Amino acid sequence: MFVPRFVKNMKPPQLIIFVFLTVILIGSIFLALPISDQNGQATSYLDSLFMAVSATCVTGLAVVNTADHWNTFGQVVILIMVEVGGLGFMSFLVLLLNMTGQHPSFKSKMMIRDAYSFTSINGGVNLVKSVIKLSLMTQMIGALLLSVDFIPRFGWAKGVWFSVFHAISAHSNAGFDLFETSLFQFKDNPYVLFVMSLLILSGSFGFIVWFDLINFRSIKKITLHSRLALTMTTALVGSGTVLYSLLNLKSFDGHILSYMAQNFFLSITPRSGGFTFSNYNATSYASLVLTMILMFIGGTSGSTAGGVKTTTFGILILNIKAIFANRNSTIYHERRIPRRIISRVYEIVFIYIGIIFTSAFILLITEHLPKNNGIEYVFFEVISALATVGLSLGLTPELTAIGKVTIMILMFIGRIGIMTVIYAVGSHAKIDEELIQYPDEEIVVG
């Protein structure tokens, strides 16, 4: 197979970005064609490109309504991009190599490691195969569970299609729906909310965590990564459910099951799910701040979710705890976390915050804020895009051209990963720090 020289010379992070951009470009062309539109009209390329970025980066922010604007063909194109973005294009490469009896090259193994946040290149191919099987099985089970409600409600053809579409969208943490108003009609349906919550949660766990859980019986061991991820996920879901329950007490109508399902769902969907059954413009500032915090944290590394990741936030808390205890080492379950990992945590968090404030500043200049809306109208959208969540206060459909480009860049960075982008655009020059030593000098800080 012919591969251009410039592609062969790319570093793994650059190749990951290149393939994602290729998928987005192809998808945007299909969406711009009249065959994708309900009315048989061509969609503006900027809007088509925005939707392609949102689908491939499993975000869910939309400048046009998915149910109203796109016909079945357009919806299938979006769903394919969601699946590619959720599972990762490397999954399909591994499948292709497996079908043709070929073995992945060393560079392919490096790409698998970078794409899925694995710590080693060894065993990555087998792990990706497990990821594919697990993801498809989870989506199938999710579709079957949703069909119990959707088929009687919408009929066989529509019910099956809706079940498959929303199972894939929820598991991929994409947030795309075919109901015109997200899950508003299911607000008092604890069954659908619970199934959707579990699908979102299953996608945000991370492939490494699932691999550890599935193989726990045989290996009798769980990695420190998975232990921290599970602890943080449990803490975030539990505390989020309790806090939303307290903040939404005024809306409690006596139906305890529906109320608990709603608040359980609200604690999960901001962490990259993107579905909603409530109007965030009508919620309290406290609820908005809680939602933005959960969006900022996101899911687990190596998952379909965005955000700074649960393990990153967990290590940040552990390190701050060590600082207050006046300890030089950050310890978790009798293991010392390396300083290079702690340094990376602070790099990710502060670069993330820097991107949020820079992007919000641009949008505050270019976009129009409706009356009765403050800067939260922009910051909410920026965090949602960068964390690939898809929740909105209504800014996205009203974006200017500059605003759309800004949000697209945020979604792309959020899905690819900040560190991947840095490694891809970083300098090729390597300086051996052991050969060049500079003298230390103190600077007053704090």
Side-chain angles (χ1 to χ4, degrees):
M1 184 174 66
F2 173 73
V3 179
R5 183 182 295 274
F6 75 93
V7 174
K8 289 183 178 180
N9 294 333
M10 285 182 177
K11 297 185 293 184
Q14 293 172 331
L15 201 50
I16 290 172
I17 290 176
F18 174 76
V19 176
F20 261 97
L21 288 174
T22 302
V23 173
I24 289 169
L25 178 63
I26 295 171
S28 65
I29 292 172
F30 275 111
L31 290 179
L33 297 175
I35 57 172
S36 298
D37 185 85
Q38 289 273 21
N39 301 315
Q41 298 178 348
T43 304
S44 74
Y45 186 72
L46 184 59
D47 287 347
S48 300
L49 181 62
F50 187 98
M51 294 297 292
V53 172
S54 184
T56 308
C57 297
V58 289
T59 305
L61 289 174
V63 287
V64 295
N65 191 287
T66 309
D68 284 342
H69 187 84
W70 310 109
N71 57 21
T72 304
F73 178 81
Q75 292 167 6
V76 169
V77 171
I78 289 174
L79 194 62
I80 291 172
M81 287 188 287
V82 165
E83 191 74 283
V84 173
L87 285 178
F89 66 91
M90 290 307 301
S91 296
F92 298 92
L93 174 62
V94 170
L95 274 179
L96 180 63
L97 292 173
N98 193 53
M99 290 170 61
T100 56
Q102 300 180 56
H103 297 286
S105 63
F106 179 78
K107 190 171 186 178
S108 297
K109 291 180 180 179
M110 292 284 288
M111 285 179 61
I112 291 171
R113 183 200 65 180
D114 292 343
Y116 292 98
S117 301
F118 296 156
T119 56
S120 171
I121 64 172
N122 297 321
V125 175
N126 291 330
L127 192 51
V128 169
K129 290 178 183 178
S130 300
V131 165
I132 297 170
K133 291 177 183 177
L134 177 65
S135 296
L136 295 179
M137 187 179 299
T138 304
Q139 291 170 6
M140 188 181 300
I141 293 172
L144 288 173
L145 291 174
L146 289 175
S147 67
V148 173
D149 183 279
F150 288 178
I151 290 177
R153 187 186 298 268
F154 302 111
W156 274 98
K158 193 174 181 180
V160 170
W161 170 234
F162 275 29
S163 299
V164 172
F165 186 97
H166 293 94
I168 294 174
S169 182
H171 178 260
S172 301
N173 284 202
F176 283 97
D177 69 273
L178 302 177
F179 299 121
E180 299 182 16
T181 54
S182 196
L183 302 182
F184 275 67
Q185 62 179 300
F186 301 101
K187 179 180 180 180
D188 298 315
N189 188 326
Y191 176 77
V192 171
L193 291 181
F194 189 67
V195 172
M196 292 293 283
S197 298
L198 292 182
L199 282 168
I200 295 168
L201 201 58
S202 67
S204 66
F205 261 173
F207 304 128
I208 300 173
V209 176
W210 274 118
F211 187 79
D212 281 351
L213 291 176
I214 291 170
N215 293 282
F216 182 74
R217 282 189 176 183
S218 58
I219 61 178
K220 303 294 182 183
K221 183 182 178 182
I222 189 168
T223 62
L224 197 67
H225 164 87
S226 296
R227 189 185 295 273
L228 181 58
L230 290 169
T231 300
M232 288 302 301
T233 299
T234 303
L236 289 169
V237 173
S239 60
T241 302
V242 171
L243 288 171
Y244 277 118
S245 298
L246 294 174
L247 292 171
N248 297 326
L249 272 175
K250 290 182 179 179
S251 65
F252 181 50
D253 58 2
H255 295 88
I256 187 67
L257 185 60
S258 293
Y259 188 68
M260 292 309 298
Q262 289 167 3
N263 292 297
F264 178 69
F265 179 85
L266 285 174
S267 71
I268 290 174
T269 192
R271 294 180 48 242
S272 209
F275 296 94
T276 184
F277 59 79
S278 61
N279 182 4
Y280 280 97
N281 283 295
T283 59
S284 65
Y285 280 113
S287 292
L288 283 181
V289 170
L290 177 57
T291 302
M292 286 191 280
I293 290 171
L294 291 175
M295 288 195 298
F296 181 85
I297 297 170
T300 302
S301 298
S303 72
T304 58
V308 297
K309 304 298 188 295
T310 54
T311 46
T312 304
F313 192 72
I315 292 173
L316 181 65
I317 292 174
L318 289 170
N319 183 245
I320 292 173
K321 183 180 176 183
I323 292 171
F324 275 99
N326 200 26
R327 293 199 310 262
N328 291 324
S329 299
T330 302
I331 308 297
Y332 182 65
H333 275 272
E334 300 180 348
R335 293 291 185 273
R336 185 175 64 84
I337 300 172
R339 287 191 177 275
R340 60 181 177 81
I341 299 297
I342 295 172
S343 296
R344 179 172 293 184
V345 163
Y346 282 97
E347 289 168 6
I348 291 171
V349 170
F350 283 104
I351 292 173
Y352 211 93
I353 292 172
I355 292 173
I356 288 171
F357 275 91
T358 302
S359 303
F361 183 74
I362 293 171
L363 293 179
L364 286 169
I365 295 172
T366 62
E367 309 306 309
H368 172 71
L369 270 67
K371 289 184 178 180
N372 304 320
N373 285 99
I375 60 173
E376 78 281 351
Y377 186 70
V378 168
F379 272 92
F380 190 94
E381 214 86 5
V382 167
I383 296 172
S384 179
L386 185 58
T388 68
V389 178
L391 296 177
S392 174
L393 290 180
L395 175 63
T396 297
E398 308 298 328
L399 287 170
T400 61
I402 296 174
K404 289 175 183 177
V405 172
T406 302
I407 294 295
M408 280 192 284
I409 293 172
L410 288 172
M411 291 189 291
F412 189 78
I413 293 174
R415 180 63 187 100
I416 298 298
I418 290 174
M419 299 311 294
T420 301
V421 174
I422 290 173
Y423 293 150
V425 301
S427 173
H428 292 267
K430 293 183 179 180
I431 300 176
D432 191 345
E433 294 181 358
E434 297 299 323
L435 298 178
I436 303 176
Q437 294 288 337
Y438 295 100
D440 294 337
E441 184 170 344
E442 298 290 335
I443 296 178
V444 178
V445 296

